[in-house]
Amino acid sequence: MKTFKSVFGQYDWDSIQSKIYQTSSKDVERSLAKTKRNLDDFLALISPAAQPYLERMAQECHELTKKRFGKTIQMYAPLYLSNECQNICTYCGFSLDNKIKRKTLSDEEIKLETQALKAAGFDHVLLVTGEANYTVNINYFLNAITQIKEQFSIISAEVQPLSTEEYERLHEAGVYSILVYQETYHQEVYKKYHTKGKKSNFDFRLETPDRIGTAGIHKMGLGVLLGLEDWRTDSFFNALHIDYLQKKYWQTKYSVSFPRLRPAEGIIEPNFIMDDKDLTQLICAYRLWNEDLEISISTRENEKFRNNIIPIGTTSMSAGSKTNPGGYVVDPQSLEQFEISDERSAKEIAQIIKNSGYEPVWKDWDRTFNPTIKI
């Protein structure tokens, strides 16, 4: 089966990087003048030459988002099930070489965490784990889904890359969306960040979205870890990946997230600093390029940025997040994957969204609407 790897192989990191930084203001103006844009336009809009046009980009981004998604923001919360991991990744608090207490939630603990999230108002939960194939595997995921699927209308998952057959089983169990990040598309340095474990296999991870698409998952989320390598070049390759997937798996919905490297146990310092203005430019570039793309902003970002980005291009936000297994009620002191920045409660975030003239949406989809999903 042809996968994104064949497309990826036609591009060179250094050539794309040079093209981005050689972009002129005329190139940017040409892209902004269009009503339908392609990847070359996305490249122009993430370039340094586009920075003086940020206010213009933000205004159009606001209008396009409002036209396509209305004035709504979907609310969700992560539910960390385990911090066990067999990978050594230099940027992650769950890395195997970090001497921390490992924890995987039991059925009863999952029930308690679920109750806490329901009490906070959530109806969309994102299941997150480390990558420990022997303990946190497809059977564990299916069991966890059984525990919570009657409580949430939407179940998403951010777990280790699986086989097509395993993704099909998740789909049948009621999983709505899968998130998977390449972390960086810079293949030459990828191994430097992923020194041990299955995640060190660049190609296997690169082809994961193809397996998700083949399995028929309703929505797929992509992104890169901003701070590992040059954010502009990495983001071009992420957009290239999304472009390929949308054309091949056209019935699937797509979202993009923007995780900036945050402090965590034993991690490296960011190689590339991305400030708030840069991130705003990137969000605007994605929206101007692709009107249908959902844009998610997590609690990695600070309060001021999250408040200001609501009317520009956001379609979903997490709130009251805990990034450690059992972090809501079971074991608040267990090690978190990374430090969150916005610690406001779900209720507070919902009010901020309302104050901005938008509606917080707790339930946007129901499994009963999809006859292919068994309930």
Side-chain angles (χ1 to χ4, degrees):
M1 181 185 75
K2 180 182 177 182
T3 67
F4 177 66
K5 182 180 177 182
S6 62
V7 176
F8 181 75
Q10 300 172 26
Y11 291 79
D12 174 73
W13 177 279
D14 291 337
S15 297
I16 292 298
Q17 188 172 55
S18 295
K19 188 174 181 181
I20 291 171
Y21 286 89
Q22 291 172 6
T23 297
S24 68
S25 58
K26 289 185 178 180
D27 296 325
V28 176
E29 291 172 2
R30 190 179 302 113
S31 294
L32 287 173
K34 295 182 178 180
T35 55
K36 187 174 179 60
R37 302 180 176 99
N38 56 30
L39 281 170
D40 287 335
D41 299 311
F42 179 80
L43 183 148
L45 295 174
I46 60 174
S47 71
Q51 289 182 332
Y53 300 87
L54 185 54
E55 183 174 349
R56 177 179 169 183
M57 291 170 62
Q59 290 175 351
E60 184 177 350
C61 182
H62 166 74
E63 293 300 327
L64 287 175
T65 305
K66 187 170 64 172
K67 181 182 75 172
R68 173 61 181 82
F69 296 95
K71 300 186 74 174
T72 61
I73 305 291
Q74 298 176 35
M75 303 284 289
Y76 74 94
L79 173 54
Y80 277 71
L81 299 174
S82 175
N83 62 10
E84 293 189 59
C85 193
Q86 295 164 344
N87 298 318
I88 294 181
C89 304
T90 60
Y91 51 80
C92 182
F94 291 173
S95 183
L96 179 64
D97 58 345
N98 284 338
K99 306 304 179 184
I100 62 170
K101 178 184 176 182
R102 303 291 173 170
K103 183 174 183 63
T104 296
L105 299 186
S106 66
D107 288 357
E108 182 60 28
E109 289 171 331
I110 291 173
K111 180 180 178 180
L112 292 172
E113 292 289 286
T114 297
Q115 290 173 345
L117 288 175
K118 289 298 293 184
F122 289 104
D123 206 22
H124 179 181
V125 64
L126 170 64
L127 305 182
V128 187
T129 69
E131 300 190 12
N133 298 313
Y134 296 113
T135 53
V136 188
N137 50 32
I138 184 63
N139 293 327
Y140 179 85
F141 303 144
L142 292 173
N143 178 66
I145 292 165
T146 299
Q147 303 300 315
I148 69 172
K149 68 179 181 180
E150 299 306 323
Q151 301 297 318
F152 297 97
S153 297
I154 305 177
I155 300 175
S156 300
E158 184 181 339
V159 298
Q160 70 258 28
L162 303 171
S163 68
T164 301
E165 186 269 339
E166 288 172 326
Y167 283 126
E168 289 172 345
R169 294 177 69 185
L170 290 182
H171 179 49
E172 291 172 0
V175 170
Y176 170 81
S177 65
I178 299 288
L179 281 64
V180 60
Y181 304 143
Q182 188 64 27
E183 312 299 9
T184 179
Y185 287 86
H186 196 321
Q187 188 170 5
E188 287 72 24
V189 301
Y190 182 89
K191 183 68 175 178
K192 181 180 72 173
Y193 297 116
H194 310 94
T195 61
K196 182 178 180 180
K198 197 170 183 178
K199 195 170 181 177
S200 63
N201 187 331
F202 180 89
D203 289 345
F204 183 76
R205 197 167 189 89
L206 190 71
E207 294 175 321
T208 299
D210 277 286
R211 298 193 296 277
I212 298 170
T214 301
I217 297 292
H218 188 76
K219 187 171 80 172
M220 198 184 312
L222 279 77
V224 294
L225 185 53
L226 301 165
L228 293 183
E229 293 299 319
D230 176 63
W231 68 264
R232 291 184 168 92
T233 311
D234 248 338
S235 296
F236 172 84
F237 280 99
N238 192 61
L240 176 70
H241 205 164
I242 293 171
D243 185 65
Y244 157 85
L245 293 166
Q246 284 187 312
K247 290 173 180 176
K248 186 168 184 178
Y249 309 103
W250 56 270
Q251 292 178 306
T252 302
K253 295 173 66 176
Y254 295 89
S255 68
V256 63
S257 300
F258 307 89
R260 285 194 280 187
L261 196 58
R262 292 282 302 154
E265 179 73 19
I267 71 165
I268 60 170
E269 291 296 318
N271 285 341
F272 294 85
I273 302 299
M274 184 188 205
D275 62 27
D276 289 355
K277 186 176 180 180
D278 293 332
L279 183 51
T280 302
Q281 179 186 352
L282 180 59
I283 291 170
C284 290
Y286 268 112
R287 173 60 67 232
L288 299 186
W289 165 60
N290 192 326
E291 293 184 28
D292 293 327
L293 197 62
E294 296 185 18
I295 291 176
S296 180
I297 305 297
S298 77
T299 53
R300 283 178 181 260
E301 302 306 328
N302 62 55
E303 295 182 11
K304 182 179 179 181
F305 181 84
R306 292 201 348 137
N307 290 352
N308 292 334
I309 206 67
I310 289 172
I312 294 181
T314 307
T315 61
S316 66
M317 297 181 78
S318 57
S321 302
K322 302 298 181 182
T323 67
N324 49 325
Y328 294 105
V329 291
V330 171
D331 191 2
Q333 301 306 314
S334 66
L335 185 83
E336 57 191 6
Q337 186 181 30
F338 57 86
E339 292 180 12
I340 64 171
S341 184
D342 187 349
E343 298 184 353
R344 292 173 295 180
S345 69
K347 183 178 180 180
E348 290 175 292
I349 297 299
Q351 189 59 53
I352 291 293
I353 291 172
K354 291 178 181 178
N355 293 345
S356 300
Y358 284 69
E359 178 186 357
V361 177
W362 301 92
K363 179 178 180 178
D364 189 51
W365 187 81
D366 195 289
R367 286 175 290 125
T368 58
F369 297 156
N370 190 340
T372 65
I373 293 178
K374 300 175 184 178
I375 60 173

